[in-house]
Amino acid sequence: MDGEAIFIRRADHGARILVVDDDALARRSVRAMLEHGFYQVETAAGGEEALALLPTYKPELVLLDIQMPDMDGLEVCHRIRALPNGELLPIIFLTGDERPEIHAQALRVKGDDFLRKPVLSAELITRIRSLMRLKRLQAEIQEERDNLLDLQKQREQLFEFIVHDLKNPLTAIQVGLELLEDREHKNPTSQVQVRRLRDTAHSMGRMIQNILDIGRAEQVGLELRKTRIPFVTWIPALLKELESQAQSRSHGLSWDCPDHLEVEADQEFLRRLLLNLIENALKYSPAGSNTHIQARPTEKGVRLEVSDQGQGIPEHMRERIFAKFVRLDETGASTRSGSGLGLAFCQLVAEAHEGRIWVEENLPRGSVFVVEIPHATAGPQPAP
Ligand code: ADP
């Protein structure tokens, strides 16, 4: 192949280099070497002059003498690094000083390289070239990273917009179905059908809310609004929300709880945690079975259990099942729609309360989902 036919432009060809040295002879000699290597050159006889040239000349690399009378090279480097994007400008120190502490100081102020005086032309050009290549790659990686982060942010925002936009029409459907259910009271068959639609719309609403909350929790964490929850009145009110869903599957819902049991927690999050667990019990258990909800005190707080008589969770899946999008094999499933986000949401809520959630085997069959919520710890006491 004809070597002359190949022309590869060096990316640093014609790059602007600033040479800072108080020694006029050294400046001239370095300028000559650089111009021979097809670089553009500007020189400064001291630190102040060099810093003043930066905004107008916009050098792509700085060759910096260390010992200079007005401001030494180390200080100049330090000030360049403190400028916006100053860390991206390649800086090579030039010095005749061989002392290791000078090298250490040069590294400390974040110089990129070090050349001994008197400088050899070949060495100077090679170092400049490789340093500029390195900086270019670094800038490219940084740009890629920024683009990726931007893209990720846009994706999350888009996702949030979509989910938000789904919520409004769904709320309208839910309200419409409730009105329709009242209106159909003389026609039990269609009333049952409307009720089923309404329950499905409610499950969908919970699913959408889970997605929103998980997204938000991953970005900024869950913000809890804690109040006292009296379980004896709270649990039956919550079960009422799933009554018709349970009835349509002839699924029994029972509960027990000692009087006066209370905990300080975020009512809305805890409500949705339990609704997710009970709804799962309905989804993953045969029609006609029973789910039992129990609340009891523990040494440090309260323990809530949702026990079903369903298919159970195999031992090797009992931890994994709380990860996002993890679902069990669906063979033989009947009315099983889901996103694999419900339990991930439950775990976020339990952990936001500094509690825990896990699943155990229910005997003779089924699962027991256990949630432990500790009593809120008192904040630091004021000094007497
Ligand atoms: P989803 O129900 O939307 O798929 P979840 O995160 O709530 O998502 O549950 C993840 C998976 O765990 C479900 O797909 C199901 O396979 C399994 N699972 C959850 N709860 C139960 C349960 N009570 N009994 C049996 N399997 C369950």
Side-chain angles (χ1 to χ4, degrees), residues 280 283-284 308 313 321 326-328 338-343 369:
N280 277 350
K283 271 198 292 186
Y284 302 109
D308 65 44
I313 314 257
I321 207 74
V326 175
R327 310 189 66 203
L328 296 183
S339 56
L341 288 171
L343 291 179
F369 280 86

Side-chain angles (χ1 to χ4, degrees), residues 153-169 208 211-212 215-216 219:
K153 218 189 232 159
Q154 280 173 20
R155 218 194 54 186
E156 278 163 8
Q157 273 171 355
L158 184 71
F159 190 62
E160 186 147 331
F161 284 148
I162 295 174
V163 176
H164 250 296
D165 286 353
L166 282 174
K167 260 178 78 175
N168 294 339
I208 289 173
I211 299 174
L212 269 179
R216 232 171 263 153
Q219 281 168 33

Side-chain angles (χ1 to χ4, degrees), residues 76-240:
V76 179
C77 181
H78 178 69
R79 293 204 190 181
I80 292 178
R81 292 295 186 235
L83 294 171
N85 284 331
E87 75 282 3
L88 294 177
L89 181 60
I91 297 178
I92 301 179
F93 283 116
L94 301 175
T95 183
D97 198 328
E98 301 272 316
R99 285 173 301 160
E101 59 266 31
I102 296 291
H103 287 233
Q105 277 175 6
L107 284 178
R108 212 170 301 130
V109 292
K110 300 197 183 119
D112 293 294
D113 206 348
F114 210 89
L115 272 176
R116 250 182 231 118
K117 282 180 172 178
V119 184
L120 300 176
S121 170
E123 193 182 9
L124 178 66
I125 302 294
T126 315
R127 293 276 187 97
I128 290 179
R129 234 181 255 173
S130 53
L131 182 54
M132 289 191 77
R133 191 179 313 129
L134 204 75
K135 286 282 172 177
R136 261 197 316 279
L137 287 175
Q138 196 181 341
E140 275 169 29
I141 291 173
Q142 176 87 28
E143 199 182 323
E144 292 268 316
R145 199 177 143 262
D146 290 348
N147 286 344
L148 275 175
L149 285 176
D150 270 359
L151 222 81
Q152 163 105 353
K153 218 189 232 159
Q154 280 173 20
R155 218 194 54 186
E156 278 163 8
Q157 273 171 355
L158 184 71
F159 190 62
E160 186 147 331
F161 284 148
I162 295 174
V163 176
H164 250 296
D165 286 353
L166 282 174
K167 260 178 78 175
N168 294 339
L170 189 64
T171 312
I173 292 173
Q174 283 168 345
V175 174
L177 287 171
E178 268 157 34
L179 291 174
L180 202 60
E181 191 189 338
D182 287 346
R183 216 181 295 158
E184 292 296 312
H185 70 276
K186 286 198 188 116
N187 184 345
T189 320
S190 68
Q191 198 184 30
V192 167
Q193 279 163 350
V194 172
R195 202 173 288 157
R196 267 195 204 139
L197 284 176
R198 192 203 58 187
D199 290 341
T200 312
H202 278 299
S203 311
M204 208 171 141
R206 272 195 284 281
M207 208 187 284
I208 289 173
Q209 199 57 51
N210 287 347
I211 299 174
L212 269 179
D213 284 330
I214 289 174
R216 232 171 263 153
E218 281 173 352
Q219 281 168 33
V220 289
L222 285 184
E223 198 189 316
L224 303 183
R225 288 193 194 89
K226 289 190 182 179
T227 51
R228 290 225 143 257
I229 304 180
F231 285 105
V232 195
T233 48
W234 189 74
I235 295 178
L238 182 128
L239 292 184
K240 199 120 194 83

